[in-house]
């Protein structure tokens, strides 16, 4: 079992991009697919696409995100892939319904766009 205690950075970071690109040519990049709802969790058990079990324990100041690099060395990289995010679409019938919907969405701390 692989134990991860922090995020090293993002796949899009220029310093990491070149090393990851090199490992991709050698088929040494593994992906951990995490549901969008689980990205806020600090402790998580998951499996890579190659079947290795991963125990993730993050400090309070770090969060998982799509492209988060968990392991990067000369032999392999382990990167987080976020599952597809699903959205609810609400269409209020009136201005008062829109105001009430906005109030409840804010009160429940829903992410909106």
């Amino acid at each position: 079992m692989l134990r991860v205690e922090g995020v090293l950075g993002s796949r899009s970071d220029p310093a990491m991009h070149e090393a990851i690109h090199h490992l991709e040519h050698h088929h040494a990049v593994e992906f951990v697919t995490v549901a969008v709802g689980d990205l806020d969790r600090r402790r998580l058990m998951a499996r890579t696409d190659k079947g290795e079990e991963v125990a993730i324990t993050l400090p309070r100041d770090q969060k998982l995100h799509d492209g988060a690099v968990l392991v990067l060395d000369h032999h392999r990289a382990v990167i987080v892939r976020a599952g597809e995010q699903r959205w609810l679409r609400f269409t209020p019938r009136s201005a008062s319904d829109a105001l009430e919907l906005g109030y409840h969405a804010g009160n429940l701390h829903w992410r909106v766009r």
Side-chain angles (χ1 to χ4, degrees):
M1 176 189 309
L2 178 62
R3 296 184 193 279
V4 175
E5 296 180 353
V7 175
L8 300 177
S10 178
R11 179 182 186 156
S12 61
D13 290 344
M16 294 189 175
H17 180 74
E18 190 172 322
I20 292 170
H21 183 72
H22 175 72
L23 290 169
E24 283 177 332
H25 285 291
H26 293 90
H27 306 288
V29 177
E30 299 178 47
F31 293 96
V32 175
T33 302
V34 177
V36 173
D38 290 335
L39 289 176
D40 291 331
R41 292 179 56 189
R42 301 279 179 236
R43 295 173 186 253
L44 183 68
M45 294 290 292
R47 283 196 183 277
T48 68
D49 58 346
K50 295 186 179 178
E52 184 170 3
E53 198 167 326
V54 181
I56 302 170
T57 307
L58 298 178
R60 290 189 181 267
D61 63 333
Q62 291 186 349
K63 287 179 66 174
L64 290 177
H65 59 276
D66 189 38
V69 178
L70 302 178
V71 175
L72 181 62
D73 57 28
H74 297 293
H75 305 291
R76 72 173 173 177
V78 177
I79 301 172
V80 172
R81 267 195 190 150
E84 183 178 335
Q85 189 163 12
R86 296 171 51 191
W87 294 90
L88 292 174
R89 181 180 301 258
F90 293 104
T91 306
R93 288 182 256 155
S94 66
S96 64
D97 288 346
L99 184 63
E100 186 174 356
L101 178 61
Y103 170 79
H104 288 295
N107 193 36
L108 294 171
H109 302 281
W110 289 351
R111 291 187 194 150
V112 297
R113 64 173 190 187

